[in-house]
Amino acid sequence: MFIGFDYGTANCSVAIMENGAPKLLPLENSSHYIPSTICAPTRESVSEYLFRFMDTKPKDVLGEQVLRRAINLNREEDIELQRGDVQFGQQALDTYLLDPQDVYYVKSPKSFLGASGLHETQLVFFEDLVCSMMKNIKTQAENTTQAEIEQAVIGRPINFHGRGGEDANRQAEGILRHAATRAGFKNIEFQFEPVAAGLEYESTLTANQTVLAVDIGGGTTDCSLIDMGPDWQNQTDRTQSLLGHSGQRVGGNDLDIYLAFKQIMPLFGLGSQMNGSQVLSSSKSRGVDMPITQFWNPIAINNVVAQKDFYEVANLKALKLLQKEAQEPEKLARLLAVYQHTLGYQIVRKAEETKIELSDSDKHSLIMPVASEMLKMDIDLQQMIEAVDTPTQKMMDLVTEVMAQASKKPDVIFMTGGSARSPFLRQALEAQLPNVPIVSGNYFGSVTAGLARWAQTVFG
């Protein structure tokens, strides 16, 4: 049996073909979408749990070494894993939110897969993370279908990482392939996510069109210009129909991070000053600005290095020194609470909730507990648009890039991906390509459905 598998940055989903149409399968309770999150007692628990409770062996000698080290570290900490100790999706998020300091939590591991400078044991661990998530999803899908699923078309972005080029893409795709193989898939193909979304739109066409598929996902924005329609349907070789591609690791997560940075982090001291070296300005003395990285790193949840730099033990001393020198020490006390209680994910989640609310209203009242405080602030639509201007422009630059590769303009723009629901992104796209109609289907499910259609073409 085959599936289309969207291993997404924000959510994962799978679909089968039933009676000639894609059918998404429930993966968490009755939901067809499971958040791309994992929660465990410790970092090392993931590798041990995968082996002990998910019946998945290491790939090679290095994997065995990582597993043995994980088991030994857990024993030193008197951690005896039980079934259910590693959680996925919304359940993982709920557990993390109950006590962020007491668990190991990862959101969107797909964001890390193309990162440069990773050593071998990091690559093995990321593979274990992905494999455990894939194994959980495969098991849920097989429970629904009551059939063994051995074949999968897995979606992938045009580019996994902003830097690294094809080396980064090969690394990331290799991790996904190895993880999927260890999870039990025997035949694996990959398809570009915007192409998959386009394939789902193509199923509705009765005449040929040139389609610009724009997929704004959680971690990446990808564009493909494709000739589509009845003449191309069911062809296994679509090379001549693919007119251009562009993609970058900029997506909904970046919108959330920039919104958190510009609008929320001032509550934690961003933009405030220290009582350090005094300089003269307009006949008045002022302090030294706080270092920006201390406010960016905790919320840069898609950057392994930034997270490590902020939460490492040595940074605690630096944060305490900043509070001591701060003109507004109460704000730096909140930043210390972020460090001590691992609140970076919670801050970004509040920004995400704000972004979603501002899709339908002009103002949102944000409420967030931090230590013994209850922080409150209002954010309006214009403030959000200004805060996310940098990632928005990067997305629009990708449209310019893909159009420069082709000799024709699109007849229609097919817009998909969770972040594509934001009206301000649609307006930005309309300004980029005026007079080209924009259509959309299932914002979350178009890629998955297209992957299932392609799976039928290559495996059916």
Side-chain angles (χ1 to χ4, degrees):
M1 188 173 188
F2 60 78
I3 59 170
F5 192 157
D6 182 10
Y7 181 74
T9 305
N11 297 284
C12 299
S13 55
V14 300
I16 60 173
M17 292 297 292
E18 187 172 274
N19 299 322
K23 177 184 177 182
L24 271 68
L25 302 179
L27 295 179
E28 188 173 33
N29 300 320
S30 59
S31 176
H32 296 140
Y33 307 98
I34 181 169
S36 301
T37 58
I38 182 171
C39 182
T42 64
R43 182 181 187 275
E44 290 72 27
S45 298
V46 175
S47 299
E48 182 180 353
Y49 193 90
L50 181 62
F51 173 73
R52 193 176 300 279
F53 294 103
M54 304 185 84
D55 193 29
T56 302
K57 297 179 180 179
K59 179 184 63 180
D60 52 25
V61 173
L62 182 58
E64 292 174 355
Q65 293 173 352
V66 170
L67 174 60
R68 283 198 297 271
R69 180 178 180 275
I71 293 173
N72 290 336
L73 287 172
N74 282 334
R75 294 301 167 271
E76 290 174 7
E77 297 293 327
D78 292 326
I79 295 173
E80 290 287 344
L81 289 178
Q82 305 294 322
R83 188 173 297 278
D85 280 353
V86 173
Q87 300 170 343
F88 306 93
Q90 187 62 44
Q91 185 183 21
L93 176 59
D94 292 343
T95 299
Y96 164 74
L97 292 176
L98 282 174
D99 193 351
Q101 198 173 10
D102 200 41
V103 295
Y104 175 76
Y105 175 79
V106 178
K107 177 183 178 182
S108 310
K110 184 180 177 182
S111 299
F112 309 150
L113 303 187
S116 58
L118 299 178
H119 52 71
E120 288 185 328
T121 55
Q122 284 178 307
L123 293 174
V124 170
F125 177 67
F126 285 158
E127 186 182 304
D128 282 351
L129 275 178
V130 175
C131 182
S132 61
M133 295 170 71
M134 286 186 166
K135 181 76 170 184
N136 174 64
I137 289 169
K138 183 174 185 288
T139 300
Q140 299 302 321
E142 289 177 340
N143 288 341
T144 298
T145 60
Q146 291 296 294
E148 186 175 3
I149 300 171
E150 296 184 338
Q151 301 166 312
V153 171
I154 301 173
R156 54 150 291 182
I158 304 298
N159 293 303
F160 281 89
H161 204 268
R163 297 179 295 275
E166 281 307 306
D167 287 341
N169 290 335
R170 280 191 291 270
Q171 173 181 289
E173 189 174 297
I175 293 172
L176 290 175
R177 184 180 294 278
H178 292 311
T181 300
R182 291 174 60 204
F185 294 105
K186 296 181 180 178
N187 300 105
I188 301 161
E189 297 288 341
F190 289 92
Q191 179 58 274
F192 287 139
E193 289 159 0
V195 174
L199 291 172
E200 174 61 8
Y201 175 67
E202 184 181 55
S203 68
T204 68
L205 297 179
T206 57
N208 292 337
Q209 285 188 332
T210 300
V211 179
L212 175 61
V214 179
D215 177 21
I216 307 177
T220 59
T221 294
D222 297 286
C223 304
S224 290
L225 190 67
I226 320 166
D227 280 335
M228 313 202 89
D231 290 350
W232 294 100
Q233 289 175 359
N234 301 319
Q235 290 195 29
T236 56
D237 184 1
R238 298 290 299 256
T239 307
Q240 296 302 313
S241 71
L242 305 178
L243 308 178
H245 301 291
S246 65
Q248 189 177 350
R249 201 190 73 169
V250 56
N253 283 352
D254 297 274
L255 299 174
D256 303 335
I257 290 168
Y258 271 82
L259 179 57
F261 182 70
K262 294 289 184 68
Q263 289 295 320
I264 301 177
M265 292 313 288
L267 297 174
F268 297 83
L270 175 64
S272 64
Q273 296 182 330
M274 297 182 290
N275 293 312
S277 303
Q278 299 294 316
V279 296
L280 295 179
S281 175
S282 302
S283 302
K284 295 182 180 180
S285 63
R286 62 178 177 86
V288 177
D289 290 342
M290 288 284 174
I292 290 177
T293 54
Q294 291 286 17
F295 303 94
W296 177 263
N297 286 352
I299 59 171
I301 59 172
N302 55 3
N303 186 321
V304 178
V305 176
Q307 292 280 284
K308 177 180 178 294
D309 288 348
F310 183 78
Y311 288 110
E312 67 181 1
V313 175
N315 196 41
L316 179 59
K317 182 179 179 181
L319 292 173
K320 288 181 176 179
L321 182 60
L322 284 181
Q323 185 189 20
K324 183 178 179 181
E325 295 291 333
Q327 293 184 4
E328 300 175 271
E330 70 280 1
K331 291 185 177 180
L332 271 295
R334 297 168 185 164
L335 189 63
L336 272 169
V338 172
Y339 175 94
Q340 292 162 343
H341 301 290
T342 322
L343 300 180
Y345 281 108
Q346 289 196 25
I347 294 171
V348 176
R349 180 166 175 78
K350 287 296 180 181
E352 180 185 17
E353 291 173 357
T354 301
K355 179 189 69 178
I356 293 171
E357 289 296 321
L358 290 175
S359 294
D360 300 315
S361 62
D362 293 330
K363 182 178 289 187
H364 174 65
S365 296
L366 181 149
I367 302 174
M368 179 171 54
V370 176
S372 60
E373 286 187 278
M374 190 65 72
L375 301 183
K376 299 180 181 180
M377 67 180 302
D378 290 334
I379 300 175
D380 64 38
L381 179 59
Q382 188 57 39
Q383 287 175 321
M384 182 191 71
I385 292 174
E386 292 173 1
V388 302
D389 178 69
T390 296
T392 299
Q393 189 54 54
K394 288 181 179 179
M395 294 173 184
M396 295 307 109
D397 288 345
L398 292 171
V399 176
T400 301
E401 180 183 338
V402 75
M403 293 310 302
Q405 299 174 29
S407 59
K408 60 169 72 173
K409 292 185 177 181
D411 300 308
V412 65
I413 299 169
F414 182 67
M415 197 174 181
T416 191
S419 295
R421 295 173 300 166
S422 299
F424 75 93
L425 289 179
R426 179 180 288 259
Q427 292 165 6
L429 189 53
E430 288 172 342
Q432 195 79 2
L433 288 175
N435 303 318
V436 180
I438 298 177
V439 299
S440 57
N442 184 330
Y443 287 116
F444 291 102
S446 293
V447 169
T448 316
L451 292 171
R453 290 186 184 277
W454 189 244
Q456 184 175 56
T457 299
V458 297
F459 295 133

